[in-house]
Amino acid sequence: MNLRELLNESCISFDLLLDSKEAVLRTLSQDLNRAGIVEDPDRFRKAVEYRETLSETGLEEGIAIPQGIDATVSKAAIAYVRLAVPIEWESMDGKPVRHVFLLAIPENGDKVHIRMLSELAMHLIRKETRDALNCIKTKEELYGLL
């Protein structure tokens, strides 16, 4: 699976000043809508928020991977934001989150969902990748990491 193809260029942001999980999910859902991937950003965001109630999506080292599976998603995609200031997020290590990768999955995309999640996690488990996320300045550098 090629993460670069899934990581939509218009859905990548660096150093945004967002102050809550809700603001992050709203912003990324709107990005996916503007990119033509999510038809209804509010409905999609609600699907993501529902999944957030089922299990924590904050991993460790300031990274979260929330996910939404919904009929309004036209194709599998990933939106990314690096926050200017880390925010509170239910995470495995109890620490705030600075990097959010939002997975958008079509309603019938369970197999794609698992592949996306495992491929992304495989890259993010490496310390050098996590460290580099704090320093990259361009979308091309992000693509190079993944």
Side-chain angles (χ1 to χ4, degrees), residues 97-115:
V97 163
R98 185 170 186 217
H99 305 277
V100 181
F101 293 86
L102 174 58
L103 307 186
I105 300 105
E107 196 169 47
N108 61 353
D110 286 339
K111 289 181 182 179
V112 171
H113 173 217
I114 299 303
R115 287 180 54 211

Side-chain angles (χ1 to χ4, degrees), residues 24-141:
V24 169
L25 297 179
R26 188 178 323 99
T27 298
L28 293 178
S29 296
Q30 290 168 346
D31 288 349
L32 288 162
N33 173 255
R34 281 190 294 275
I37 295 164
V38 169
E39 182 180 315
D40 183 339
D42 291 328
R43 178 177 158 168
F44 175 71
R45 181 182 42 80
K46 288 177 184 170
V48 175
E49 289 171 347
Y50 171 73
R51 287 190 65 84
E52 287 289 305
T53 67
L54 301 177
S55 65
E56 59 193 21
T57 57
L59 305 179
E60 296 177 340
E61 306 294 328
I63 296 172
I65 308 177
Q67 304 126 57
I69 299 174
D70 192 73
T72 68
V73 178
S74 63
K75 64 179 183 175
I78 301 172
Y80 167 77
V81 64
R82 178 176 67 202
L83 300 168
V85 177
I87 61 169
E88 291 302 315
W89 199 290
E90 293 79 30
S91 59
M92 294 189 315
D93 62 3
K95 294 181 181 176
V97 163
R98 185 170 186 217
H99 305 277
V100 181
F101 293 86
L102 174 58
L103 307 186
I105 300 105
E107 196 169 47
N108 61 353
D110 286 339
K111 289 181 182 179
V112 171
H113 173 217
I114 299 303
R115 287 180 54 211
M116 286 170 70
L117 188 57
S118 62
E119 182 79 18
L120 185 57
M122 190 170 63
H123 288 284
L124 296 174
I125 200 165
R126 297 190 329 253
K127 182 178 179 353
E128 54 274 4
T129 301
R130 293 190 315 268
D131 290 345
L133 284 174
N134 291 315
C135 303
I136 59 175
K137 296 184 183 352
T138 68
K139 296 172 183 182
E140 285 303 318
E141 287 176 320

